[in-house]
Amino acid sequence: QVLLVESGGGVVQAGGSLRLSCAVNGGTFSNLNMKWFRQAPGKEREFVATIRASGSSTYYADSVKGRFTISRDDGKSMVYLQMNSLKPEDTAVYYCAVAPYLMTRPRDVDYWGKGTLVTVSS
């Protein structure tokens, strides 16, 4: 079992920045491929970003490329999502997750966090 706890959500104006954090407990963090998903009101949960267990590779949804950066700190068992140039369309609950690196479907996720809300105002 792996427990994921997100933090860092809040309210920010369009064009601003936020950094989300995910604390990972259980398992061997250095062996886990980590991901971020998000779910906007009335919409299905969607893939945002992933980072390989080694930290050597990352992949992003087209909607966030160039604006969001996923990173990890194996010494702290933490994964982060730096979000810049935020848009109202980024408003959603953001979830930390564990899944195989190449998988981007919510049904492929092994473990979910409870989520943290990000609200971007215009």
Side-chain angles (χ1 to χ4, degrees):
Q1 285 291 323
V2 177
L3 177 64
L4 309 174
V5 181
E6 303 96 333
S7 62
V11 180
V12 63
Q13 291 189 349
S17 298
L18 281 176
R19 189 183 77 158
L20 306 183
S21 299
C22 175
V24 183
N25 298 281
T28 302
F29 180 72
S30 60
N31 292 337
L32 301 177
N33 300 301
M34 303 300 302
K35 287 178 166 62
W36 289 95
F37 288 77
R38 67 185 183 186
Q39 188 165 21
K43 296 186 177 181
E44 296 184 352
R45 195 166 297 186
E46 65 176 354
F47 167 78
V48 175
T50 187
I51 185 167
R52 195 179 289 276
S54 65
S56 61
S57 300
T58 58
Y59 180 75
Y60 300 89
D62 287 342
S63 59
V64 306
K65 285 181 179 177
R67 300 189 298 120
F68 291 11
T69 302
I70 187 172
S71 61
R72 65 192 296 149
D73 184 338
D74 285 1
K76 297 180 179 180
S77 295
M78 298 283 288
V79 61
Y80 307 97
L81 185 68
Q82 178 66 46
M83 306 184 295
N84 298 325
S85 301
L86 283 162
K87 305 175 181 179
E89 307 94 271
D90 296 318
T91 295
V93 176
Y94 283 73
Y95 298 90
C96 185
V98 177
Y101 178 70
L102 295 177
M103 302 298 177
T104 59
R105 302 174 302 182
R107 63 175 175 265
D108 295 320
V109 169
D110 296 313
Y111 301 99
W112 290 105
K114 293 182 178 180
T116 186
L117 177 63
V118 173
T119 301
V120 183
S121 62
S122 59

